[in-house]
Every structure is written in C-alpha cells, then in structure tokens.
Amino acid sequence: MPANTTASSPKKKKGRRARLLVIVLVLALVAGVGYGTWWSITTVRASFPQTTGTIKLEGLKGQVEVKRDDYGIPQIYADSDEDLFRAQGFVQAQDRFWEMDVRRHMTAGRLSEMFGSGQVETDSFLRTLGWRRVAQQEYDTKLSQATKKYLQAYADGVNAYLKGREGRDLSVEYAALEFENDYKPEKWTPVDSVAWLKAMAWDLRGNMQEEIDRSLLTSRLSEKQIKDLYPAYPYDRNKPIVAEGGVNPATGKFDPDAKPSDNSGNSGGNRGGNSAQGAAQGLNSQLAALSETLDTIPALLGPSGNGIGSNSWVVSGRYTTTNKPMLANDPHLAPQLPSLWYQMGLHCRSVSASCQYDVAGYTFSGMPGVIIGHNQDIAWGFTNLGADVTDLYLEKLSGYSYQVGSEERRLTTREEVIKVAGGSDRKITVRSTEHGPLVSDRSDELEKVGQKAPVSNSAPDRGAGYGVALQWTALQAGKSMDAVFALNRAKDFATFRAAAKNFEVPSQNLVYADTKGHIGYQAPGKIPVRAEGDGTTPAPGWNPKYKWKGYIPFDELPYELDPERGYIVTANQAVTDAKKYPHLITKDYGYGTRSQRINDLIELKIQGGGKISTEDMRTMQMDNSSEIAKLLTPYLLKIDISDPYVREAQKLLEGWRYTQEPDSGAAAYFNVVWRNVLKLAFGNKLPKELRVEDECLNVRPADSTAPDDELTKRVRECGQRDTDSAQPDGGDRWFEVVRRILKDEKNEWWQSPASRTDAATVTRDQLLARAMEDARWELTAKLGKDATSWSWGRLHQLTLKNQTLGTEGPGFLQFVLNRGPWNLGGGEAAANATGWNAAGDYSVIWAPSMRMVVNVGDWDKSRWINLTGASGHAYSAHYIDQTDKWADGELLDWAYGKQAVQARTVDTLKLTP
C-alpha cells in the first residue's frame, strides 16, 4: 500500500509531537521493566490506519471515498450496496480489528486460543450456550440472500485489510501477544458478524440473575421478606411507556387507541408451587455457583441487573423549536476502551435500487449496517425492553436421560474441543434437554444437589441430584440481522414496524420519528408465552405444564403512533400496565425512576409554554437529580446528631437541591449514607451468595433460630459475589423497597445487630443515625477530615480499560492501554446514569455509552458524542478524543448531508477496484 500522500495540518503535527513524547516515556518504562524486548515507536504506530491517498481494494465495483473529520469519524460514499459494506468492513478493521477479533473469539467460545488456559472455564460455558452454532444456523437457514451478500461483502472488506498484516501491523495488543504465543488472526467470516448479536442478547437477557437471586434468598429470608425486596411496579407513580391501548379481542391485534379493561391473564402463578419452591431451596449452592460462572462471562454491555439500562425519548414537532420531532438516546452500558460504539455514515451517492442506503449513526465494529441513528427519512433509538426471555429448569437426570412427566427422554449431546494457547486441547461434552443446554455441567458444585434439599412428595426422587437447564430465545435461529438492514432502509412507520418484526433478539424498545412529523414506539422481540408460571423462579422441568407454548404474536405487542400527549419516553420502565395487557412481558422491569424524571422534565417545559430545543434535550440527558435523595434527605436532616464531626457532615445536606455534580460535597455524603443505610438494613442480612466477595460478617447460621444479639451463636461467613453484581446494588428497586417502609419507624428491616463499636438499632431513626455516623468516618478515611473538601467526583470515578490486556495483562501494558480516571457527576437511577453498585464501592460500572440528539428533517443540526473515540489504537489521536467532552456533557456537531460532511472533512481516502 502506498504511504499517505496528504500532508498533516500544523494542528495535527503539534498533537502528534505531544503524543510521541508520551510514547517515548512509556517505551522507556517498558525497557526498564525488561519485558523481553524494547518496543520502538514504530511498533506503537505501525497499526495506525492510512486515512489519505489511494488504496486498491479487491472486489470493489467502483471507487469509494472515505471522508474523516477532526475526530476520525468516517463517512463512506459508494455507488452500490456491496461496495458500501465492503468499505465499511475495511474501515472498521483499520480502527478496531483487535476489538473485533476478541469479540468473535468470545462469541465462539475460543478465547483460550488467544489468552491461554485462564479462559477455558469461560470458553466451556460459551460453548455450552452455543452462540456460534446458532449464528451459523441463522446464516444457513434464516437470513435473506441480500443480507448474506452484505455480510460477505463486509467480510471481504475486513479480509482485504488483514491481507499481508500481522502482529504489530494490526495493533499494539497483537505485538504484546506475540511475546506469549504465536497467535495469528484468521480470516473474517459472515457468521462472525451474526454471532455478535448473541453477545448483545446475553447482556440484555432479562431477569435471569433475579431468578437466581430469589432462590438464593430462601436460605435466610422468609417468603414475606423476599416479597418486600421485590415490590410491585408503582404504576400509580411511574408511567409505563404505552399509557393507553390494548389487544382488541375482535382482531387479535394491539390497538393503541383502545380503552383496555382490566385483564389479569398475565399475572401468572407461584411458579411450580411447593415442588418448584422446595427444589429451588435445595439448589442454593448450585445456583450460587451458576451465578459465579455468569460473572466470568465477558459483560461487554454491562453488569446484568436492575441498574443497567438506557434512556430514549422523542418529542413531537408541536413542542419543539424546529416544529419537527426531536429524538434523544443514550444507552447505559459498561464503560470500556474503545467504546462499544463506532460512529459512521454509510452513503450511496445516489439512492437507487442498486444502492439503497443513506444512513448514519452508531455501529458495532464487526457488523455491517447502522444500529442506532437515522437515514434521510426516519430516526430511531433503542433501550432495553427487559423482557423475560430466559427460564431456568430443574431437571431430574438419570444416566443419559431426563424425566418429563412419566417419560424418560434421551439427552442430546455433542463434544466440543477447546484449543488452548501454550497448552493441550480440552474436551467437553455439552448435554441438553428439550428446554436447553445443561448449564449445571459447567461447574463441579452444580453437579450436585444438597443432600437435604426439601422437596414435596410430587417431585421425583432426587437420586444423584437435579441438573439446571437454560431455555433462552437467543438459542433459536432468527432474523435479527435482516432487521438491521431493513431498519436502515425504512421510509415510514409501516416499514419501520415491518423491520422491527424481525428484530427478535434481543428485545428492545424502539422509538421513532420521521420527516413528516410522526413519532412512534414499537416493542419487538420473541417473548415467550408460558403455559404455567411467571418466570420469576426456576421451573420444574419434569412437569410438562411448565413448557413454553409459543411467543407473543408481533401484532399483539404494544406500539404507539402520534400519542395525544406529544412525546414518548422509554427508560426501561414497564411497557404497559400489567393489569390492562393480556400477556406477561416480565415481572422484573426497572422501577421507572429515570423514566418518570424525564417525563416530568418534558411536562414541565410543555406546561410552562416553552418549546423544547436541542440544548433542552441535551440538558435533560445530563440531569443528575437524585430521586432517592429527595425522599430520604428530609428524614436525615431531622435526626438529632450530637457528635460535632457527624453534625458537620449533616450540615452539607441543608439547602442541597439533590443534584449530583462532581464537585458536590452534599452528593458525596448522601450517597455514602445511602450505601450504609442499605448495608445495615438489608445487605448484612442477605446470604453470602449475594454479598460482595471476601466481605466477611459474623452471622447466625442459616438454620439457627438463635436471636440476632447472641454473638456467641454466630459463624463467620464471607461474601461470594462479584463486586459489580452484588446486592443490594442501590438501584431503583431499592428506592422502592425503602420508600415502602420509610414511614414505618419500627419496621423489622430497621433492626440491625450490635457491633463492637455500635449498639443495635431497633427503629428507623436509630439506623439512619448509625448510617450517618458510619458515612462520616468512611469519608474521613477516603477524602479527609475536612468535610468542606469532599466532592462526589473524587469518589465517583470512571476508569476506561481495554477489556482484555487492559484488565488482565502485565501492569505496564495496562498503563499503555487504559485511561483515566475522570471525576463524574450523576449517579444511580439518575437520567445521567453513571451507575455504581452500593454493595461494592462508588466507581462507575455503567454509563451513557454514547449520547445523541437528532433534529429530524434538519439532520445537520443533530448532535452526538461517543464515550471514547473512533480508534482502538492506543496513542492514536482518536483513542479518547471525545471522552473529556462526554464527561462535561458536551455534544459534537453531526454532519450528514454531503456539503456538511465535506465542510468538516480533514482526511479523504480513496478505495479503488
């Protein structure tokens, strides 16, 4: 390939000189620690992409232009669909191939080939799930010929980039990997792209963790106490997405204008009755092991649970300054480097039957098309629907069979070979029932059921134990890849809904707006209909009544078009009022704290007679108001504090407006108090399987009836849960739990045992006072004695880490690849959802992974930002060049039209046949 032929601007040269100084320092450090060989500057820069000049790309039919702006964001121009996607594959590989390669190895259960024996357990679990096998089935049997052509063209573009490159020519990470093994990347395939949708679906799989947790809680809590910790959704306070409408009995279709009557058909029963409950109790140690296994699976989108989610909303033109709709979206996902998203434009120079796309937005590296964004006619955004699409089944196993009713059915088996870098191959046998793979086979603990597991007479004899199978919609071949391209081509609400129909996995909330002034919403996805049960606890696999009997028909899924209120908000809240909709979507929605805050902000603007601007939409995205602080702070201020040091901290809350700015001392103190309230009232009473790993407590034995204050009767138990997924996590489920007991001063949850330094608490105010004192001394240790120097941002920090060598590699390599920290505002369940887990610490574990505000019809006035930058290459100018602005809540101008793109272009690369 020829060298770059376009000179760099003085601005760029200055930036590059600064980066070279940093690189020199880093390389000196590398030489100093003697990692084996001195890395030259050439090694670090070898993989930087060519962004100017001309490159011949095999397979192109015509010339393609790649125009990049100051942030390295590419806009691709071509004359055919296949040229467009071939170029997309080439360009994404230029910037992100390491990320793409790791991702495909993860989805295929082949991480051990890259990183050695430490990944065998993860690979074994992923092979058991069989993501790659299902992706192959989709490609072979479900996807349209057009989609297959696009996938192949994309793969050809990736492979054109790989040709003649290896090691340092691809990325610094490959140069590092060469020290450890002789790994060489293989060619990209279309199925590599399809498989990524399975990873996306895994992290958005619904309530599987809650299903496990509810069963684990039975070892220490009563049925009533568990119910306290999973309160019903507050429909009277937090609006669902679709306020009206229902399934019309005459047509069998969802009618957004219908006035639904109460319908309790979706309420479900107590899944499995005594038989399932008893078996679940006996599975506590086994389910804990499964939960631990789940923590080892790379969570590319974020920790599973109530906290993770997203915001999107759309406002009708009658309430905007442009008189056209505006649409906002900011998915809340795990922070990583590079960001999950890759910004891009895909433009046919002339839209026609042979070249159908003029679309821009956020893409996934490794997959063709645009996931979230807009074309010339419509805009759309996603949030997680949270549908319950997984069920765990307890299986009565006997040799090579399992029991269903009075029958013995043969297990299906397959053998998988896991290749291990630097080691010998490992073989595993994957066993499955009609419900799905036996995930219990992947853990020694899960192979056995507790010998004293209480089960009813209706359960089969336990024998050697029950297995655990997983039924999940993503393990069935579907057409979601077809839906991506159809969405990119959609022209109106009808074609948008037609595209959504095939977006089966994962289930998402889709918001919509178009240039004709319409706004809309659609809930798509393959959502099971259960013959029995409600999906909240493991089901008895031996009882045929508990099988899935089908899926909610698409025509019966909720949608809206131009609702009278003039706006639609989706932020992981309930889709519809469960009493007015005949199907069960889930019993584990988010509790609507973020969604209601956004609803309130929009209503406040509308009722004030104002028009909503782009800046208003951005400001709403950055709203960091704490709803739990509004509820709890008045109670904290009424506590009579005698200790002057604690009183000094309490004074920070006086006059506080509940905003969580990075420099706010009040926000710091409140959030530490909140964490300690949760720990005292709930956390210390949970079983070890849900508490933070290695956090140890003296507790009464699980089967003991001794009073809590008899310290001599206690045993020492240490937590077992990964920090990011431990409980209580402090999400808005816990807001609702506390809200319901706050006025009950002597509720049993306010009781906490004495410690060596503190007396037992019996009432609410005693526990709050103890939490305030504990928070004071915790902050003194972390931030210093002077309360006036405290700030939320010093506690609440974001560190961006490369998700492979940046977390597990040598220390110096982590220094090379990772960035941060940034002191952030926002918080748990705020609109600016910089999430943290109250059971662990205050560091940011999920965040708005991108933000966009789309001006429909006046596309070039839209704005966007990414969490990191376009490049995955450490020390590239575009590695983290958007992060500072992202942290400050700023948005970049988003050029879409040809003239606007040209005006912002700083580099042009020509790809020729």
Side-chain angles (χ1 to χ4, degrees):
M1 293 183 183
N4 287 0
T5 57
T6 302
S8 300
S9 67
K11 176 182 175 182
K12 284 189 175 182
K13 286 182 178 178
K14 181 179 178 181
R16 287 172 181 165
R17 280 197 296 269
R19 287 192 301 281
L20 288 178
L21 291 175
V22 175
I23 293 171
V24 169
L25 292 174
V26 171
L27 297 177
L29 174 64
V30 172
V33 299
Y35 187 62
T37 217
W38 188 78
W39 285 7
S40 67
I41 293 173
T42 304
T43 299
V44 176
R45 300 192 66 194
S47 59
F48 286 11
Q50 178 180 339
T51 58
T52 62
T54 301
I55 296 175
K56 288 187 177 181
L57 190 60
E58 186 177 346
L60 285 180
K61 297 177 182 176
Q63 181 174 283
V64 176
E65 289 181 304
V66 183
K67 298 177 181 289
R68 294 179 184 255
D69 65 10
D70 268 334
Y71 290 88
I73 299 171
Q75 306 280 344
I76 300 177
Y77 291 85
D79 293 316
S80 73
D81 293 338
E82 290 176 73
D83 278 0
L84 198 60
F85 296 121
R86 183 173 283 105
Q88 184 182 13
F90 181 87
V91 171
Q92 288 190 338
Q94 280 188 305
D95 281 331
R96 299 283 192 94
F97 184 72
W98 169 262
E99 174 194 6
M100 293 164 59
D101 199 17
V102 171
R103 185 178 291 166
R104 68 165 162 176
H105 278 77
M106 188 269 286
T107 58
R110 295 173 56 197
L111 290 170
S112 300
E113 295 177 23
M114 298 183 76
F115 304 113
S117 59
Q119 297 300 319
V120 169
E121 182 180 348
T122 298
D123 283 346
S124 297
F125 191 82
L126 292 168
R127 294 286 185 95
T128 298
L129 295 180
W131 293 351
R132 171 75 185 207
R133 289 170 54 86
V134 180
Q136 185 71 57
Q137 292 170 13
E138 289 184 357
Y139 185 79
D140 291 342
T141 65
K142 293 289 186 178
L143 300 182
S144 70
Q145 290 303 310
T147 293
K148 289 183 180 181
K149 283 197 298 184
Y150 299 158
L151 288 165
Q152 187 61 59
Y154 181 91
D156 290 344
V158 175
N159 293 328
Y161 174 74
L162 292 179
K163 190 174 183 179
R165 288 185 171 88
E166 60 182 40
R168 70 177 190 175
D169 295 329
L170 293 172
S171 76
V172 168
E173 292 94 332
Y174 286 110
L177 211 59
E178 286 179 339
F179 288 116
E180 300 294 332
N181 59 60
D182 58 357
Y183 171 79
K184 298 289 187 292
E186 61 193 33
K187 287 186 175 182
W188 194 265
T189 73
V191 180
D192 292 332
S193 297
V194 178
W196 168 236
L197 286 172
K198 301 304 172 186
M200 181 181 174
W202 175 253
D203 281 354
L204 301 175
R205 63 191 178 275
N207 75 335
M208 184 174 170
Q209 191 66 60
E210 285 84 355
E211 191 171 342
I212 293 171
D213 287 356
R214 271 187 283 257
S215 295
L216 293 172
L217 288 170
T218 60
S219 69
R220 286 206 169 271
L221 302 181
S222 68
E223 185 177 344
K224 177 188 178 301
Q225 288 172 320
I226 295 172
K227 187 175 181 180
D228 287 346
L229 300 187
Y230 290 90
Y233 186 90
Y235 289 101
D236 57 334
R237 189 173 63 255
N238 295 341
K239 298 176 183 176
I241 298 170
V242 178
E244 300 292 337
V247 176
N248 187 322
T251 64
K253 296 182 178 181
F254 188 87
D255 181 356
D257 298 321
K259 300 294 182 183
S261 60
D262 281 359
N263 187 322
S264 58
N266 68 357
S267 59
N270 179 15
R271 158 160 265 181
N274 293 332
S275 171
Q277 181 65 26
Q281 290 174 349
L283 280 173
N284 280 353
S285 62
Q286 289 70 35
L287 290 173
L290 174 58
S291 181
E292 186 176 347
T293 301
L294 299 183
D295 281 338
T296 70
I297 307 305
L300 293 184
L301 303 188
S304 178
N306 175 253
I308 191 171
S310 305
N311 300 328
S312 70
W313 66 93
V314 61
V315 181
S316 167
R318 74 176 186 264
Y319 295 128
T320 68
T321 56
T322 62
N323 297 318
K324 289 287 182 72
M326 288 188 184
L327 186 150
N329 197 186
D330 55 290
H332 309 151
L333 306 172
Q336 55 190 279
L337 187 58
S339 165
L340 182 77
W341 301 108
Y342 184 92
Q343 296 150 289
M344 187 175 244
L346 301 172
H347 308 278
C348 290
R349 293 189 179 96
S350 178
V351 176
S352 65
S354 61
C355 198
Q356 305 172 74
Y357 298 89
D358 189 9
V359 61
Y362 294 87
T363 70
F364 289 141
S365 301
M367 203 172 92
V370 169
I371 303 300
I372 293 174
H374 71 83
N375 60 29
Q376 67 272 40
D377 297 304
I378 75 164
W380 67 93
F382 282 8
T383 63
N384 191 20
L385 180 65
D388 185 356
V389 295
T390 61
D391 275 340
L392 295 174
Y393 283 86
L394 314 183
E395 304 284 12
K396 167 58 180 169
L397 304 176
S398 178
Y400 294 98
S401 65
Y402 63 101
Q403 183 175 334
V404 179
S406 59
E407 296 181 31
E408 290 290 324
R409 298 185 182 175
R410 190 82 172 173
L411 290 166
T412 58
T413 63
R414 69 176 189 274
E415 192 172 81
E416 296 276 353
V417 178
I418 299 172
K419 296 183 182 298
V420 182
S424 57
D425 294 352
R426 311 287 178 88
K427 291 184 179 180
I428 65 169
T429 299
V430 177
R431 303 189 299 168
S432 300
T433 72
E434 64 184 30
H435 299 117
L438 283 166
V439 290
S440 53
D441 284 353
R442 301 283 73 87
S443 165
D444 291 341
E445 286 183 275
L446 279 167
E447 290 179 1
K448 302 175 183 178
V449 172
Q451 294 301 309
K452 298 181 180 179
V455 292
S456 73
N457 292 332
S458 62
D461 180 73
R462 115 173 104 258
Y466 298 121
V468 182
L470 170 65
Q471 185 163 13
W472 177 32
T473 55
L475 299 184
Q476 301 169 29
K479 299 181 179 180
S480 293
M481 199 69 238
D482 280 349
V484 171
F485 295 112
L487 196 58
N488 286 197
R489 297 189 304 266
K491 301 292 184 184
D492 51 30
F493 194 61
T495 50
F496 168 79
R497 290 194 71 211
K501 185 174 184 178
N502 284 331
F503 204 93
E504 298 167 327
V505 175
S507 296
Q508 297 288 286
N509 295 307
L510 271 64
V511 293
Y512 166 93
D514 66 34
T515 54
K516 295 182 179 179
H518 301 295
I519 65 172
Y521 163 81
Q522 177 67 57
K526 185 179 283 188
I527 303 172
V529 176
R530 296 168 176 85
E532 290 285 342
D534 60 9
T536 59
T537 54
W542 52 83
N543 188 338
K545 292 181 179 179
Y546 284 81
K547 67 180 181 180
W548 291 359
K549 62 179 184 180
Y551 303 94
I552 301 175
F554 180 78
D555 284 343
E556 296 182 23
L557 288 169
Y559 74 94
E560 280 190 316
L561 178 63
D562 298 327
E564 181 59 34
R565 64 185 178 279
Y567 62 89
I568 301 169
V569 175
T570 82
N572 316 113
Q573 78 272 40
V575 174
T576 64
D577 189 329
K579 293 181 179 179
K580 300 177 180 178
Y581 183 67
H583 300 296
L584 174 64
I585 294 177
T586 185
K587 287 206 165 185
D588 288 303
Y589 286 118
Y591 280 76
T593 300
R594 280 181 290 108
S595 62
Q596 193 55 44
R597 175 61 178 170
I598 296 167
N599 271 292
D600 291 345
L601 290 170
I602 294 171
E603 280 291 333
L604 186 65
K605 190 74 174 181
I606 291 173
Q607 291 174 3
K611 293 275 191 173
I612 294 174
S613 66
T614 304
E615 178 62 15
D616 291 328
M617 299 281 274
R618 185 199 69 82
T619 301
M620 291 175 192
Q621 287 180 326
M622 294 304 297
D623 181 83
N624 58 34
S625 176
S626 171
E627 297 304 299
I628 187 60
K630 291 178 185 177
L631 178 68
L632 193 56
T633 299
Y635 290 87
L636 299 177
L637 288 173
K638 290 178 181 178
I639 303 294
D640 185 12
I641 300 293
S642 58
D643 186 316
Y645 288 105
V646 181
R647 173 64 184 139
E648 180 188 21
Q650 185 187 37
K651 285 182 179 179
L652 293 173
L653 302 178
E654 295 176 357
W656 180 43
R657 299 181 66 84
Y658 316 119
T659 57
Q660 300 173 96
E661 302 295 342
D663 60 356
S664 172
Y669 182 57
F670 174 80
N671 282 314
V672 178
V673 171
W674 170 239
R675 177 177 181 270
N676 280 277
V677 168
L678 291 172
K679 181 179 180 181
L680 292 169
F682 309 103
N684 291 350
K685 300 165 187 173
L686 300 182
K688 62 182 182 295
E689 294 88 357
L690 273 71
R691 299 202 316 271
V692 172
E693 186 176 12
D694 296 330
E695 183 180 272
C696 301
L697 296 171
N698 291 321
V699 299
R700 63 178 176 82
D703 58 354
S704 172
T705 58
D708 281 340
D709 59 357
E710 292 186 22
L711 294 176
T712 56
K713 300 288 183 71
R714 295 188 180 190
V715 296
R716 190 162 181 79
E717 282 189 353
C718 298
Q720 299 177 350
R721 183 68 65 83
D722 179 81
T723 302
D724 291 352
S725 57
Q727 293 294 335
D729 62 16
D732 64 354
R733 172 164 68 89
W734 293 98
F735 291 13
E736 197 64 23
V737 169
V738 171
R739 181 191 299 275
R740 295 187 181 211
I741 66 170
L742 198 51
K743 293 181 180 180
D744 183 359
E745 298 182 38
K746 296 184 179 180
N747 189 282
E748 65 172 341
W749 289 109
W750 300 125
Q751 299 171 17
S752 63
S755 68
R756 289 185 176 86
T757 57
D758 296 290
T761 68
V762 177
T763 68
R764 176 197 65 207
D765 288 354
Q766 288 174 348
L767 186 140
L768 294 181
R770 183 167 160 186
M772 293 171 74
E773 180 181 358
D774 289 351
R776 199 324 169 188
W777 301 120
E778 182 181 342
L779 276 164
T780 298
K782 285 183 166 69
L783 301 182
K785 185 176 179 180
D786 182 5
T788 62
S789 70
W790 297 345
S791 67
W792 176 224
R794 288 172 62 198
L795 285 178
H796 191 52
Q797 293 185 324
L798 168 70
T799 300
L800 294 172
K801 294 185 177 182
N802 177 291
Q803 291 299 288
T804 50
L805 300 181
T807 57
E808 301 294 336
F812 88 88
L813 195 56
Q814 294 187 36
F815 180 83
V816 169
L817 296 174
N818 299 341
R819 298 293 184 272
W822 283 264
N823 295 349
L824 297 186
E828 183 59 59
N832 182 22
T834 53
W836 55 284
N837 188 316
D841 58 30
Y842 307 95
S843 57
V844 176
I845 59 173
W846 60 77
S849 55
M850 62 80 158
R851 299 186 186 100
M852 74 175 191
V853 177
V854 181
N855 274 266
V856 177
D858 199 353
W859 305 115
D860 292 327
K861 291 185 179 178
S862 300
R863 313 204 71 204
W864 62 354
I865 197 79
N866 205 352
L867 173 61
T868 60
S871 180
H873 299 291
Y875 299 105
S876 161
H878 307 305
Y879 194 47
I880 56 165
D881 57 342
Q882 298 185 51
T883 308
D884 285 343
K885 291 182 180 297
W886 173 93
D888 291 338
E890 297 180 38
L891 298 173
L892 304 176
D893 292 334
W894 178 356
Y896 171 74
K898 191 170 184 179
Q899 290 183 343
V901 169
Q902 185 58 42
R904 292 185 174 87
T905 296
V906 296
D907 285 336
T908 300
L909 175 68
K910 293 182 180 179
L911 304 175
T912 62

